[in-house]
């Protein structure tokens, strides 16, 4: 007993070493990439000094893509909230086989490769008005891709709080549908809505597969610009660009993790 | 009627509610798919009466409650009336009923006080009056100190008291309780049952109570509606249901019932080796009687049946014997608590002729 708790055997050190190795394997490239974005000359190395010059350069060239990505993410969130929350509510209130089938169908766009979905969108809607050259075309793709995540997150919470009985309780006290939805349904689904929202923002900002096919030279998003810069510009610019991307996405990922840990239906 | 303590009398003045009668006219319920949950039912519930729907699960008692509440609508042709008003087509939110659920249905996103205030807010009662009425109601339910608590910080009994307060504070026309004590443990169930009984008497509200527990039904109901398989088996006071069951189902469902076989000839009923005067057609009969209506015979002369004790259970106030007679099913017999009879002893039994029931 004491030897187990006080003296760690070689097995422990082996496991720790292996874990650290795997962590390093994953994080070192990220760190290297971010560092490259802050290095004056990557080929010379760190001794060339640290600079924010490349970040500024990224902002000068790609500010448009960053703002467009944010714009699309926010619009995508708005649409998935307006469509996804009522959809989750409808699924939660109808515990039939049809509802479960719809739930499964909702996951289809996630299972199908983004490129295929994008091609299908172009074939079907590419010739409709000016849609093809509008940022709204990308928004359509993003909504298609992120909506299931919103619905799933909200649905899971709604199913865990027995909404039906809560609503019957509210109705017995005289509350009509609108009031019940506002005062009972939404507050009790809050943690799910929050988790879904962060998920949608994160996925939309990072989405590449669909967007790469859907974008035009005038509607480039951040990940598309990133691919572009890696392909055609100095490594330092691509790396600085990655750094900007991390800065945008990491806070929402951390919040998401926090929610997953503390998020209870009533919280 | 009953003499109430001074304090209760004052509370009654303040909270006394209108006693609205309820009438069900041919209310049946067929679920999509064709399953018949409730055969068409006619029933009048008097104003201020507490009526208990009692039966095993799936007997239609909850469906009936939900039809009264407005959570289900009856099959075409059925009507629900509150007083003179036909409420059949009104949804629950416009019927002004109070409802208490087995699972409490308290809003987890609100405090105790906010839960109780919810119905008043919906009714646009001003802030000052709302606060006053919530406080009064919480005091009445001994919940004053919990006003600011979250629902998940309360015990089951406290939660159900909050649910009662929330339902009553809006002064509903009728109070509907759907198995309100089922989720609680036995001791809490007893104390909350007494509290509900006191409340219903003091408020004078028309109440409909659904349960599968016959003890609750007997203790709370002015009248009991015993249901089985979507039909009403019997409607009556607890005493009527207990002493004059309408049929074998009611007899077996409420309390413990013995079945004694005998033969009638020329106005004399023969049971075992005893005979009693009996009016009824000649032939073999099966009669029912309660455990407390069979006694140990004092001597050979007045004994009707002989048997051997198969089990003796000491229950404190009485000892319950299971006696196997020479022929026929075992009999349950209640005797004095201080009995030293035990398994294997031979006993002679005497039935009380006035307490023998012939039931279809």
């Amino acid at each position: 007993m004491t030897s187990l708790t006080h003296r760690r055997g070689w097995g422990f050190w082996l496991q720790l070493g292996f874990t650290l190795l795997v962590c390093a394997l994953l994080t070192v490239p990220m760190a290297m990439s971010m560092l490259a974005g802050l290095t004056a000359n990557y080929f010379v190395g760190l001794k060339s000094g640290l600079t924010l010059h490349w970040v500024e350069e990224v902002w000068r060239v790609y500010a448009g893509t960053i703002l467009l990505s944010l714009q699309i993410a926010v619009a995508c969130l708005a649409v998935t909230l307006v469509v996804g929350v009522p959809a989750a509510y409808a699924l939660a209130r109808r515990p039939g086989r049809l509802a479960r089938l719809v739930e499964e169908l909702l996951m289809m766009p996630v299972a199908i490769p983004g490129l295929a979905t994008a091609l299908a969108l172009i074939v079907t809607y590419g010739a409709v008005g000016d849609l093809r050259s509008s940022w709204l075309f990308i928004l359509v793709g993003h909504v298609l891709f992120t909506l299931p995540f919103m619905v799933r997150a909200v649905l899971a919470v709604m199913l865990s709080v027995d909404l039906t009985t809560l609503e019957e309780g509210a109705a017995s006290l005289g509350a009509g549908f609108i009031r019940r939805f506002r005062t009972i349904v939404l507050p009790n689904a809050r943690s799910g809505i929050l988790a879904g929202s962060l998920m949608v923002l994160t996925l939309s900002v990072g989405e590449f597969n669909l967007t790469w096919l859907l974008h035009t030279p005038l509607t480039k998003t951040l990940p598309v610009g990133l691919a572009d810069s890696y392909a055609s510009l100095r490594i330092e610019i691509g790396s600085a660009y990655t750094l900007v991307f991390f800065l945008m996405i990491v806070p929402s990922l951390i919040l998401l993790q926090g929610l997953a840990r503390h998020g209870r239906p009533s919280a | 009627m009953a003499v109430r303590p001074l304090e209760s009398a004052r509370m009654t003045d303040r909270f006394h509610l209108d006693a609205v009668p309820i009438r069900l006219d041919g209310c049946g319920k067929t679920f999509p798919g064709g399953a018949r949950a409730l055969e068409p039912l006619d029933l009048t519930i008097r104003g201020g009466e507490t009526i208990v729907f009692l039966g095993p699960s799936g007997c239609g008692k909850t469906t009936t409650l939900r039809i009264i509440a407005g959570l289900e609508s009856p099959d075409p042709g059925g009507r629900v009336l509150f007083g003179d008003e036909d409420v059949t087509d009104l949804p629950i939110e416009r019927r002004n009923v109070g409802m208490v659920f087995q699972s409490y249905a308290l809003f987890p996103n609100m405090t105790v006080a906010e839960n109780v205030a919810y119905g008043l807010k919906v009714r646009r009662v001003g802030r000052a009056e709302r606060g006053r009425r919530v406080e009064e109601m919480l005091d009445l339910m001994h919940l004053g100190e919990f006003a600011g608590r979250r629902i998940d910080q309360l015990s089951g009994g406290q939660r159900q008291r909050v649910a009662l307060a929330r339902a009553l504070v809006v002064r509903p026309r009728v109070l509907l309780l759907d198995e309100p004590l089922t989720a609680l443990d036995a001791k809490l169930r007893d104390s909350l049952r007494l509290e509900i009984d006191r409340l219903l008497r003091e408020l004078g509200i028309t109440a409909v109570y659904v349960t599968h527990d016959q003890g609750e039904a007997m203790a709370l109901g002015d009248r009991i509606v015993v249901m089985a398989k979507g039909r009403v088996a019997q409607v009556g006071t607890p005493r009527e249901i207990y002493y004059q069951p309408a049929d074998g189902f009611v007899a077996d469902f409420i309390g413990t019932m013995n079945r004694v076989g005998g033969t009638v000839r020329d106005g004399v009923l023969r049971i075992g080796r005893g005979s009693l005067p009996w009016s009824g057609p000649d032939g073999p009969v099966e009669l029912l009687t309660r455990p407390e209506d069979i006694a140990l015979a004092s001597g050979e002369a007045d004994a009707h049946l002989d048997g051997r004790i198969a089990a003796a259970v000491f229950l404190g106030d009485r000892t319950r014997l299971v006696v196997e007679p020479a022929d026929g099913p075992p009999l349950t017999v209640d005797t004095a608590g201080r009995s030293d009879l035990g398994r294997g002893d031979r006993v002679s039994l005497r039935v009380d002729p006035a307490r023998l029931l012939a039931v279809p």
Side-chain angles (χ1 to χ4, degrees):
Chain A
M1 197 59 194
T2 43
S3 67
L4 269 179
T5 46
H6 292 293
R7 276 183 41 213
R8 295 182 169 118
W10 55 272
F12 170 81
W13 296 112
L14 203 67
Q15 284 176 31
L16 183 67
F18 184 71
T19 308
L20 288 177
L21 193 70
V22 172
C23 287
L25 211 64
L26 292 171
T27 51
V28 166
M30 306 264 190
M32 290 296 286
S33 171
M34 284 192 278
L35 208 57
L38 297 171
T39 311
N41 186 329
Y42 183 70
F43 296 101
V44 177
L46 271 180
K47 61 178 173 292
S48 66
L50 292 172
T51 174
L52 282 175
H53 169 73
W54 302 117
V55 177
E56 284 162 18
E57 188 70 10
V58 165
W59 184 252
R60 199 175 56 75
V61 181
Y62 290 108
T65 70
I66 295 167
L67 294 177
L68 182 65
S69 266
L70 286 176
Q71 178 186 338
I72 290 176
V74 170
C76 183
L77 174 61
V79 175
T80 50
L81 279 175
V82 170
V83 178
V85 174
Y89 172 74
L91 288 172
R93 287 302 306 267
R94 277 177 194 68
R97 206 180 308 162
L98 192 71
R100 299 290 82 82
L101 187 72
V102 170
E103 201 186 320
E104 294 306 316
L105 282 178
L106 261 173
M107 291 309 282
M108 286 288 279
V110 182
I112 295 171
L115 289 176
T117 314
L119 265 174
L121 282 176
I122 291 169
V123 168
T124 317
Y125 302 117
V128 177
D130 290 336
L131 193 58
R132 182 71 186 90
S133 56
S134 161
W135 67 277
L136 290 174
F137 201 45
I138 298 174
L139 178 63
V140 171
H142 281 207
V143 168
L144 209 62
F145 174 60
T146 57
L147 188 60
F149 293 93
M150 177 65 88
V151 174
R152 279 278 166 121
V154 178
L155 183 61
V157 172
M158 282 182 171
L159 287 177
S160 72
V161 292
D162 190 11
L163 266 189
T164 310
T165 314
L166 287 185
E167 266 201 82
E168 284 180 355
S172 76
L173 293 163
F177 175 74
I178 306 269
R179 182 186 283 267
R180 295 200 299 265
F181 197 77
R182 197 165 47 80
T183 58
I184 306 297
V185 176
L186 288 182
N188 286 303
R190 206 186 63 170
S191 64
I193 295 173
L194 221 58
S197 298
L198 286 171
M199 194 77 168
V200 166
L201 282 179
T202 312
L203 286 172
S204 173
V205 167
E207 212 298 319
F208 176 74
N209 290 348
L210 275 163
T211 320
W212 185 68
L213 267 188
L214 295 179
H215 87 278
T216 67
L218 292 175
T219 56
K220 252 189 237 175
T221 66
L222 195 157
V224 173
L226 195 57
D228 192 61
S229 73
Y230 271 118
S232 55
L233 294 172
R234 291 184 63 140
I235 183 80
E236 292 90 339
I237 293 193
S239 299
Y241 205 177
T242 310
L243 186 62
V244 172
F245 177 68
F246 276 142
L247 288 178
M248 282 173 63
I249 214 153
V250 166
S252 94
L253 277 177
I254 289 173
L255 269 175
L256 203 61
Q257 280 297 318
L259 264 186
R261 210 173 304 128
H262 305 292
R264 289 288 163 271
S266 55
Chain B
M1 282 184 288
V3 180
R4 295 194 189 99
L6 195 63
E7 186 198 21
S8 301
R10 209 186 58 228
M11 287 195 300
T12 312
D13 289 345
R14 198 179 297 160
F15 289 106
H16 202 84
L17 298 164
D18 289 340
V20 180
I22 302 171
R23 208 170 95 214
L24 300 178
D25 259 355
C27 284
K29 183 70 189 177
T30 311
F31 282 114
R36 197 72 180 269
L38 184 65
E39 300 292 335
L41 166 71
D42 297 303
L43 183 72
T44 301
I45 301 168
R46 293 189 281 266
E49 181 181 32
T50 299
I51 202 153
V52 179
F53 286 91
L54 173 68
S57 62
C59 70
K61 57 188 194 295
T62 297
T63 306
T64 311
L65 184 86
R66 290 174 69 86
I67 287 176
I68 297 172
L71 288 168
E72 308 275 359
S73 46
D75 290 342
R79 293 201 308 155
V80 182
L81 292 102
F82 286 1
D84 295 327
E85 188 193 352
D86 188 334
V87 297
T88 315
D89 297 323
L90 287 184
I92 182 170
E93 58 261 36
R94 291 173 54 203
R95 286 195 189 186
N96 195 17
V97 297
M99 189 145 180
V100 175
F101 298 82
Q102 181 180 340
S103 59
Y104 320 121
L106 295 174
F107 310 133
N109 55 317
M110 301 179 195
T111 63
V112 168
E114 285 166 347
N115 264 277
V116 177
Y118 188 84
L120 296 174
K121 257 186 185 165
V122 171
R123 285 165 174 74
R124 302 185 193 287
V125 174
R127 179 185 287 270
E129 196 196 338
R130 201 165 69 213
R132 189 179 56 75
R133 279 169 70 178
V134 167
E135 196 179 332
E136 271 177 7
M137 189 47 76
L138 288 178
D139 286 344
L140 179 70
M141 299 301 298
H142 312 298
L143 286 164
E145 58 188 301
F146 302 109
R149 292 269 184 97
R150 297 174 51 84
I151 299 306
D152 55 17
Q153 294 170 320
L154 302 182
S155 71
Q158 290 163 347
R159 285 180 203 202
Q160 205 52 296
R161 295 219 305 274
V162 175
L164 272 163
R166 187 181 71 173
L168 287 169
V169 77
V170 297
R171 297 177 186 151
R173 288 195 281 185
V174 299
L175 182 64
L176 309 170
L177 304 110
D178 186 7
E179 305 237 8
L181 303 180
T182 304
L184 304 174
D185 60 60
K187 205 171 169 188
L188 212 57
R189 210 151 46 209
D190 285 343
S191 68
L192 194 55
R193 195 192 66 209
L194 289 170
E195 204 163 338
I196 290 177
D197 190 41
R198 174 182 66 87
L199 259 179
L200 295 180
R201 306 291 148 208
E202 287 180 2
L203 298 176
I205 191 175
T206 311
V208 182
Y209 191 107
V210 162
T211 183
H212 64 272
D213 182 313
Q214 44 144 329
E216 266 171 57
M218 304 281 254
L220 286 170
D222 292 321
R223 283 192 299 158
I224 297 174
V225 181
V226 184
M227 299 189 71
K229 294 177 184 158
R231 284 175 204 280
V232 171
Q234 187 173 4
V235 183
T237 64
R239 279 165 198 280
E240 284 166 1
I241 302 267
Y242 189 79
Y243 291 120
Q244 292 138 40
D247 59 26
F249 170 78
V250 178
D252 288 330
F253 192 71
I254 310 287
T256 306
M257 205 45 121
N258 289 305
R259 287 166 189 275
V260 184
T263 338
V264 180
R265 185 179 296 163
D266 303 329
V268 175
L269 166 68
R270 295 195 65 83
I271 295 177
R273 59 191 169 92
S275 47
L276 313 158
W278 190 258
S279 61
D282 286 1
V285 286
E286 190 186 52
L287 299 165
L288 306 180
T289 190
R290 296 284 180 194
E292 63 269 29
D293 295 327
I294 304 180
L296 296 175
S298 49
E300 280 295 301
D302 61 354
H304 296 136
L305 295 157
D306 299 303
R308 182 190 294 275
I309 296 176
V313 184
F314 174 57
L315 296 168
D317 54 338
R318 64 209 147 97
T319 299
R320 174 158 283 199
L321 307 175
V322 178
V323 179
E324 284 173 343
D327 60 334
L331 300 171
T332 306
V333 181
D334 281 351
T335 61
R338 293 186 168 77
S339 161
D340 45 14
L341 289 169
R343 194 177 138 82
D345 292 348
R346 299 200 66 87
V347 286
S348 296
L349 301 174
R350 176 178 176 73
V351 296
D352 183 344
R355 302 274 183 256
L356 279 175
L357 294 169
V359 162

